[in-house]
Amino acid sequence: MLSTALHTLRTRWATFVGGFTALSLGVALITVMGLALASAADTPERRPQRFAAAPVVVQGQDTLTVPTPVGDRTHRLARPRPVPAATVTKLRRLGTVVQDRSFPVHTAHGPAGLVGHPWSTAAYAPYELRTGRAPKAPDEVVVSGDRTRQGTRIRTTTGTVRVVGTVTTTGSENFEDAVFYTDTRAAELSPHSPRLVVEADPAAVRAAVGADAGVQVLTGDARRHADPDPDRDSRELTAMNALFGTAGGVSAFVSVFVVASTSAYSVAQRRREFGLLRTAGATPGQIRRTVTLEALTVGALASATGCALGSLGAPRLAAWAVTEHLAPRWFTIGDHTWPYHLAFWTGLLAALCGVTAASWRAGRTAPTEALREAAADTRVMTRGRLLLGTALLLTAAVTLALALATDPGELLRRKTYTTRPMLLITATALLAPLLVRPLTRLLTWLPARLPGAAGMLVRENTATGARRTAAVAAPVLITVALAGSLLGATATIDGAKAAEARARTTADLVITPAGPDGFDPATLRRLRAVPGVEISPSASSAVYALEDGTALVRSAATAAEPGPLAATTRIPLTAGRLTDLDDDSIVVNTEWQQHTVGERIDVWLGDGTRKNLEIAAVMPTGTGDNGVLLTPRNAPGAPADRIDARLTDGTDPATAATALRRAVHPTGGTVRTGDAWLRATHPEAARTTRAGFLLVLGIALLYTGISMAATTAMATTDRVRELAALRLAGATGRQVLRLVAAEALTVVAVGALLGTLVAALGLLGMHGALALLSVPAPLAMPWAVLATVTGACAVLATVSALVPAALALRRGAARSAGVRE
């Protein structure tokens, strides 16, 4: 059997090229993703940056820890607490105490991402003066890097400043673009100081801090927890793992899909060959073993090739992830072996799974198949394929119905709308041979009635060769379906969030700050003094609650006065009244475990304070961003980060907008109309999600090209006698090629139609979930992307069909010329 399998591979190599290429690329991608995930797990210990030269850093409480029966549960606080004043007094007795302040600096036309600090903290990075001197006046600054020269004036949202010096870091890489003010000016710009540096013995500092709740004394490598955004690396790694994990899963799914499709068509194409072997005395078991040995041989070679390609591609992927800010700057591929084992054996298993059904079908080939002359498919589907396709289709329908009935919000989660379409895609692909005949007859109904025989031939060739049509249409189906499902899901959710925001916003004008520090009390007083305008400031915070006594859940919170909020915002409610909200109550949504009006619940506020609040009203879950509503007193320290303004009767909108802009000008706020604010803040999918989907679609399109090229070339090569018969019947070479191209385009249209149908069904499920969640949202089908993908598939299919057909016609013409000579 092995010698027969090797001989078949040598003589029919073109039949196995497509599967070999698809499988090797799939293994390469799995290798790359595995190496990336393994390298992400080996996170190096991050060294301190902002306080690399500080002896001791004392930081106020920034985490909430709640004991539960199964252990402590911890969440980072939305609003860290400052070090208590009494503790600061004790620390000053030990040595010099320097308060740290970090705040964003916004310029009119300069670089983004500038961070302000007091000058006294520069030595703790450490920064050293390269040119100039330290700042002495409120309008003087020192900047890091070399983008700004000494003497330059910078126009910021808090006033124009003059650069009097530049600094460079000596302890680590340039991790920020710093702007240093005098200590007094920095305290004016950022009164909040969550941490301080103490120049004293660490043991004495710990003794002075004692048991103060939540206060941390950081020394050595632990000082990195005082760096800005210390969780950034872990967030980026989590997002990167999700991205690469999804891409790796799709790679495995598509590679098995392509290999199985190619194997099934290859076996159907070789039925006469198997019939001859049966006539010569081969048993069904020998036929199955031959096909399996062919697949294992190709799978082993393809897996080894894929591992080699993956080792070359992984460093390039890591560099791309760092460049696109999808991974930390230190991320590189490490020295790991288990991803190679995983990829190799996964590839071999994929080859075996892809050929299992085909081998059983090959073993059932009757000896009489050797005598068949007709190329028409008499039986387009096996019983097992029909049962499996029907089972998967029913599973997709039942799980969708259960999700809609029990937890519609689950359908809006990224993991769900990424994986769920694959079930429906597989079911449709398995049942495709049953669907291609009616679809091809529908698509070719008009061309078949036009003068000439071309339309009729296209209809009959694609309809009678149902297996060939289904095999070529399958990769088009998966690509179009993935493009429509993934991009359509994100577009639908984005549209739902935008519609939700539009329905809730009734303000005439919306005012937003220049940075995350929000509006200060002085700005709020100036805004309230504007005649003819009623304002409703709101602040972003968070609350924490225990569910089932073991899970500490964080919910976004909006703090606002209920009266002005009701006047400028339309809050949807399922129970209760917004006007009942006070300092002793809370408005929750139906996603909360406890959501009955009048019920009291224990929560922890954004600064970690525990409170028992009464539920005043309940909002619908919506798209998951409704969060909770609180009064400002229950969001201590949270600055107003949005102000909705309503104009009283008779107030001129232009005059009011000008007065509001004048009031926020010192802090750099922006005044927009309600519609302009909605357009500017239109929700969009996260950058990592878009990058992941584009990577997945790139993989799918690559596999589509490989599978279509291989399957179409196999199908065209097998039709040499048919094409020769058309020439003998009087068709010219160009007419034959036009016929082949028309058939290829028809098959692509069938696959695109099935893929669009699959995507539409998935999006209808999501649309139903949004309707159950009381979110008005249109169904967003990415028609432009679908047209682009279908066009690319059409070009690939046409080229893949025309090239072997032209070569076959040329060989036939050469033989005819030889006969005439």
Side-chain angles (χ1 to χ4, degrees), residues 711-731:
T711 307
T712 307
M714 288 164 54
T716 307
T717 303
D718 199 42
R719 298 175 63 191
V720 172
R721 297 179 64 185
E722 178 187 338
L723 299 179
L726 287 173
R727 290 299 310 275
L728 292 174

Side-chain angles (χ1 to χ4, degrees), residues 783-795:
W783 294 112
V785 175
L786 294 183
T788 302
V789 170
T790 303
C793 292
V795 172

Side-chain angles (χ1 to χ4, degrees), residues 28 31-32 35 305-316 333 340:
T31 303
V32 169
L35 287 171
T305 304
C307 288
L309 292 174
S311 66
L312 298 176
R316 291 173 172 80
I333 299 298
Y340 293 102

Side-chain angles (χ1 to χ4, degrees), residues 511-513 515-519 537-541 638-643:
I511 310 165
T512 53
D517 283 351
F519 295 103
S538 59
S540 298
S541 186
D641 54 10
R642 170 181 160 185
I643 298 175

Side-chain angles (χ1 to χ4, degrees), residues 583-600:
D583 293 339
D584 189 47
S585 62
I586 186 175
V587 176
V588 302
N589 60 65
T590 53
E591 197 173 18
W592 276 54
Q593 190 175 44
Q594 297 173 274
H595 55 269
T596 302
V597 173
E599 191 175 8
R600 299 194 73 88

